Amino acid sequence: MKRLTSIFLSAALLASAMLPGTTAADNSMRDMTTMEIVADMGIGINLGNTFESCGDWITQWGDGTPNAYETAWGSPTVTKELIAGYADAGFGVVRVPVAWSNMMADDGSYTIHPDYMARVHEVVDWILEEDMYVILNLHWDSGWLEKLPENPDMCMEKYTVIWEQIAEEFKDYGDYLMFESQNEELGWDSLWSRYSSSTAGKAESYSYANEINQTFVEIVRSSGGNNAERHLLIAGYDTDITLTCDPLFVMPEDPAGRCAVSVHYYTPAGFALLEEDADWGKASSTWGSDADYQELNRLMDTLDARYASQGIPVIIGEYGCPKKNKEPESVRRFLTSVCEAALSRGGMCPVLWDITDLHYDRSTYQMTDSELNRQLLEVRDRYLPQSVKGDVNGDGAFTLLDAVMMQKYLLGTGTLTKSANGDLCEDGRINGFDLAWLKRMLIEK
């Protein structure tokens, strides 16, 4: 025991002197599967209507800076305090939609403006510094990808060049940063519509979606740095659950075997999308009937059977509803029910769609509905594994093996998961003091 104590104390002093602690901003790739990464995310939120804001009018009337685009759709300028509020509200991942064509060079090179890249990069860093994951995507971006069937060479070249630049910019980042291949644009009504009675053009449209996702994986994997092992999010067909579970949609071949699939959940549209009646549908102010729950469970079961239960994790990259003309209790019921339906099945992470002051107040840095916040965290905590204090290696027990894992980590020869409960002193850092805590508790044990 004296020898054991000496080893622990020596390692603790060395680590305390040499290592500053760890956060998600550290650029390490841990020995974790994508399924484990997705589980570690917990619940998420979108930084919506911000960096994906786009339009010719912004170019014409703005001042030509990234901030002109960032604030064009109503968002205030993003601050570190705004990002910290997401963490305080209990979110473990922030999805950052981006329109990369904003301020892009107009010489045909598709060069992303360095100021725009730098601004996105800054916000990504702020998220990581709050110990949250980041999902960084290529969003709608003024709809240029819709032209792919008519001009495939141009679209594929632009897509390729954009992702080459993003991959290069972030290639040395750790596994708290995930790339997402696209948003909802992998599906072309000019070729085939789900509402058509014919299947003509369906296979061609799916083949384009599959080709883009495969191209995405190959670009990232060949770009150097940590990208050879980066966890990737593959956009489903129109990110629709039913269409993404169609046999024509296939996950790309990935030599690293580190891909999840992305779908969105806005069902039923009358409640989840419409604030008032439209020519294509009738708005609903309430949600929570037996039929509503049956539809939710049917779609989640379909998703689980095709992906999660087969070892392919699922990120519901967007789910949500407006609040205008909606019963507040129905809003809470819908959002928490979708969250629970995902987490209860395992292998899924729900990411709330949010825009300025919808569910999160970007001026006070807190959720607009504290009761909704409480209910979401209650659902999260109900289904996420509960850690045992001192269980550094995540095997469900507190033993000598945890001290060994901690020592390896502090000496740079091992890794820890975010949920490994390594900050035993609860001072916001993982360092030699935590190893000393382990030593003391093991001796007393």
Side-chain angles (χ1 to χ4, degrees), residues 48-65:
N49 282 17
T50 307
F51 290 111
E52 84 277 27
S53 303
C54 55
D56 292 340
W57 63 273
I58 308 174
T59 305
Q60 181 178 357
W61 299 107
D63 62 5
T65 66

Side-chain angles (χ1 to χ4, degrees), residues 259-319:
C259 288
V261 66
S262 174
V263 294
H264 294 174
Y265 195 90
Y266 293 110
T267 304
F271 182 81
L273 293 175
L274 292 179
E275 295 180 337
E276 54 189 30
D277 292 349
D279 56 3
W280 57 268
K282 185 175 178 59
S284 172
S285 63
T286 62
W287 186 93
S289 67
D290 288 345
D292 288 334
Y293 279 106
Q294 288 170 4
E295 183 174 43
L296 171 61
N297 286 314
R298 176 183 62 80
L299 288 170
M300 289 294 181
D301 285 342
T302 300
L303 192 59
D304 179 58
R306 173 67 189 274
Y307 293 106
S309 66
Q310 303 303 310
I312 301 172
V314 177
I315 293 180
I316 301 174
E318 295 180 17
Y319 79 99

Side-chain angles (χ1 to χ4, degrees), residues 125-155:
D125 286 346
W126 288 345
I127 297 169
L128 295 174
E129 287 168 9
E130 291 298 328
D131 207 26
M132 294 184 289
Y133 287 90
V134 180
I135 298 172
L136 188 62
N137 83 347
L138 165 59
H139 216 70
W140 179 69
D141 205 3
S142 297
W144 58 265
L145 195 59
E146 296 169 3
K147 303 174 183 177
L148 189 145
E150 293 77 41
N151 197 342
D153 291 341
M154 181 276 291
C155 288

Side-chain angles (χ1 to χ4, degrees), residues 49-118:
N49 282 17
T50 307
F51 290 111
E52 84 277 27
S53 303
C54 55
D56 292 340
W57 63 273
I58 308 174
T59 305
Q60 181 178 357
W61 299 107
D63 62 5
T65 66
N67 192 64
Y69 293 90
E70 182 176 337
T71 60
W73 287 1
S75 175
T77 300
V78 176
T79 63
K80 292 185 69 172
E81 291 78 13
L82 189 157
I83 297 300
Y86 288 147
D88 292 341
F91 295 105
V93 57
V94 179
R95 182 171 178 257
V96 182
V98 183
W100 295 101
S101 293
N102 290 338
M103 299 175 60
M104 180 176 282
D106 58 5
D107 58 1
S109 67
Y110 308 119
T111 301
I112 298 169
H113 196 288
D115 291 347
Y116 202 77
M117 178 69 83

